[in-house]
Each structure stands twice: as C-alpha cells, then as structure tokens.
Amino acid sequence: MNIKVVGIAASILLASTSAFAQSSTVTGAAGGAATGAIVGGPVGAAVGGIVGGVAGSVIDPPPQKVVTYVQQAPAPAERIVVKEKVVVGQPLPETVVVTPIPDDPKYAYAIVNDQRVIVEPSSRKVIQVIQ
C-alpha cells in the first residue's frame, strides 16, 4: 500500500514540472520534501515537496509605497489593449511597455486593458493587479 501511495505522489510531482520553473518554487519544493521526509518518511517527502512547491510559488506583494505610486501614476495618452487576460504570475506580452518605478527598481508598472499592474521588470511577470 505504501509503495502505491509513494508512486502516486511521485507521479503528481513529476506531472507538475511547470511549477518548478521558478526558483522560489524549487526552493519551496526542496524544503517541503526535506521537512516531509523527516516527519513522515518517503510519503511525507512526496507530499511535503508538493505543498512546499505551491507555497514557494506565492508572489510577495509589493510595498505600499509602490502600490500608491502606481495608483497615482498618469495614464498614457494611448490606451493599451491586449487579447490575453492579465494574470498574476504570468508575464505581460512583449508589446506592452513597462515603466520602472523610480524609487524601487525591483518593480515596474503598466496600464493594460484599463488595469494598472505591477510587474517584475526582468521577467515582466505580473505581481499585482491594482483594483
């Protein structure tokens, strides 16, 4: 029975390889697997790896001063519209111009489909959609 559970858990881990694309996910999965192995042996390692991978992929919200800056930034003269839905964790299309935030270069922003979004400049990944 335990071998079957380990096999199923390992299959789930291998099936979710896209979740391991981000380093924080890999770190979370490795940490979760190590903790799970200590607590529950091989089955705990498999389950801990999955839970840790999910927890590692959570994106930290930007500081309030960044959110305030993006809320108050003037909108561009030309409206930017893309077909793709703007989703937290996904990159903006290359056609969208992102503007760095002067006081915090870890963040940039764009106004897309009438939504203000905060992004990570290097990956263009959406960190937060401002409502």
Side-chain angles (χ1 to χ4, degrees):
M1 178 79 173
N2 283 341
I3 293 174
K4 185 175 182 182
V5 172
V6 170
I8 291 170
S11 297
I12 292 170
L13 261 175
L14 291 174
S16 64
T17 55
S18 64
F20 294 113
Q22 301 298 321
S23 63
S24 62
T25 304
V26 174
T27 304
T35 303
I38 291 168
V39 174
V43 174
V47 173
I50 294 168
V51 172
V54 170
S57 65
V58 174
I59 300 171
D60 290 332
Q64 186 58 44
K65 69 176 186 169
V66 170
V67 174
T68 301
Y69 180 89
V70 173
Q71 288 172 329
Q72 296 174 353
E78 188 175 321
R79 189 169 173 241
I80 299 166
V81 178
V82 296
K83 287 187 245 179
E84 299 89 355
K85 184 176 179 182
V86 176
V87 178
V88 172
Q90 296 298 315
L92 290 177
E94 291 294 325
T95 57
V96 176
V97 176
V98 296
T99 305
I101 296 181
D103 292 341
D104 201 336
K106 288 185 355 184
Y107 301 99
Y109 75 96
I111 301 174
V112 184
N113 297 347
D114 294 325
Q115 293 180 306
R116 292 174 183 262
V117 295
I118 300 172
V119 301
E120 180 184 70
S122 60
S123 67
R124 304 173 61 81
K125 185 188 327 180
V126 176
I127 298 172
Q128 183 175 351
V129 177
I130 310 274
Q131 300 300 330

